[in-house]
Amino acid sequence: MGDPIRLVVDGVEIEASPGQTILEAAEAAGIYIPRLCHKKGLEPFGSCRVCTVIANGRFQSACTQPVAEGMVVENDTEKLLAIRRDIIEMLLVEGNHFCMFCEKSGNCELQALAYRFGITAPEYPYLWPEREVDASHPDVFLDRNRCILCGRCVRASRDLDGKHAFDFVGRGVSRRIAVNAEGKLAETTAAVTDRAVEACPVGALLPKRVGFQVPIGKRLYDVEPIGSEIERRGGRP
Ligand code: SF4
Ligand code: FES
């Protein structure tokens, strides 16, 4: 490993290892940079832009941008918080996220980010798109209404499960998650134990027959806001 790299995040000097991304270095130092398409253990994807920071005066996605000696990073500023809030609001209105009925409620990263950013009702109009639900698999639901196209299932299935069960098809507003079969999810080799199912940050991929097992008040993000475990590590409140 090479010499440590020093950079400044929100006015705090931190040390990073060569090859780390801004997000990884900040996280190791106890600074939370919000993220959605990023998941530890998966190849960085850089699609959601929730992790947008300003590094040396330029907008960058913190999950893909490597650290550099002397880099100055802005993360927790009004301007960046407003950009991230807008991205989260847009994700909420362009899908059909009925949080109160969703089995992922309380454990959903999109919902948790909305709460962290103080979003109670999005300012943008809901688009109410028509999306297909695939309930064919005996143990796993694929509900595209809640899919935010983060690609975590695609990368997890490909790189961790070795199955290529999911991929993207279409472009622009027609882009959607597809399964590697002529027909439905049941015709793939996907299994409920796959890392791809666990990797979904929202309720688009859900194991069947286990919903609502944890009572309200005890779910993951009922207990503390998303990112708290990282901030605690840095000794911040
Ligand atoms: Fe992401 Fe889940 Fe959609 Fe896959 S199904 S792209 S993990 S939101
Ligand atoms: Fe960095 Fe999605 S978390 S672009």
Side-chain angles (χ1 to χ4, degrees):
M1 206 193 292
D3 291 337
I5 290 172
R6 280 166 310 225
L7 66 154
V8 173
V9 181
D10 292 333
V12 178
E13 186 170 295
I14 65 170
E15 278 195 357
S17 305
Q20 273 189 319
T21 62
I22 297 171
L23 185 142
E24 289 167 338
E27 178 163 333
I31 299 168
Y32 173 63
I33 299 179
R35 74 289 302 265
L36 264 177
C37 70
H38 173 82
K39 183 169 170 63
K40 203 175 277 182
L42 295 180
E43 186 186 315
F45 193 48
S47 70
C48 75
R49 300 283 150 174
V50 169
C51 69
T52 298
V53 294
I54 298 176
N56 290 346
R58 296 171 63 124
F59 287 103
Q60 304 280 5
S61 56
C63 69
T64 54
Q65 183 63 34
V67 292
E69 182 66 32
M71 188 180 248
V72 176
V73 178
E74 293 171 48
N75 166 49
D76 194 12
T77 67
E78 273 310 311
K79 182 175 169 177
L80 287 166
L81 295 183
I83 290 170
R84 293 171 185 158
R85 197 177 294 123
D86 273 353
I87 294 170
I88 294 159
E89 287 200 9
M90 283 188 266
L91 287 171
L92 285 166
V93 300
E94 71 185 21
N96 301 314
H97 298 275
F98 301 107
C99 294
M100 62 292 268
F101 306 119
C102 179
E103 291 175 27
K104 192 85 173 197
S105 201
N107 299 309
C108 169
E109 294 178 34
L110 178 64
Q111 182 194 47
L113 278 171
Y115 282 132
R116 181 167 173 131
F117 281 82
I119 300 166
T120 45
E123 287 174 17
Y124 300 109
Y126 286 96
L127 301 182
W128 306 125
E130 278 195 31
R131 302 239 188 112
E132 197 192 344
V133 176
D134 183 341
S136 62
H137 195 284
D139 303 315
V140 181
F141 275 119
L142 169 57
D143 186 346
R144 295 183 179 84
N145 287 291
R146 304 172 186 143
C147 178
I148 57 170
L149 299 173
C150 68
R152 280 165 46 163
C153 59
V154 177
R155 285 170 283 153
S157 183
R158 182 192 64 205
D159 302 335
L160 304 180
D161 301 324
K163 292 190 177 179
H164 295 265
F166 303 95
D167 210 342
F168 294 113
V169 291
R171 289 173 179 272
V173 288
S174 304
R175 192 165 161 86
R176 66 184 176 84
I177 206 77
V179 296
N180 185 16
E182 287 295 317
K184 303 272 187 181
L185 187 60
E187 293 153 48
T188 70
T189 53
V192 70
T193 48
D194 283 359
R195 301 286 295 277
V197 176
E198 176 227 317
C200 184
V202 293
L205 275 172
L206 284 174
K208 291 184 175 178
R209 299 178 297 279
V210 294
F212 307 115
Q213 281 193 335
V214 180
I216 292 173
K218 297 199 167 157
R219 303 167 306 181
L220 184 60
Y221 301 120
D222 291 336
V223 181
E224 58 181 10
I226 191 166
S228 301
E229 72 289 357
I230 294 170
E231 291 169 326
R232 241 194 334 273
R233 210 180 303 144
R236 292 167 178 80

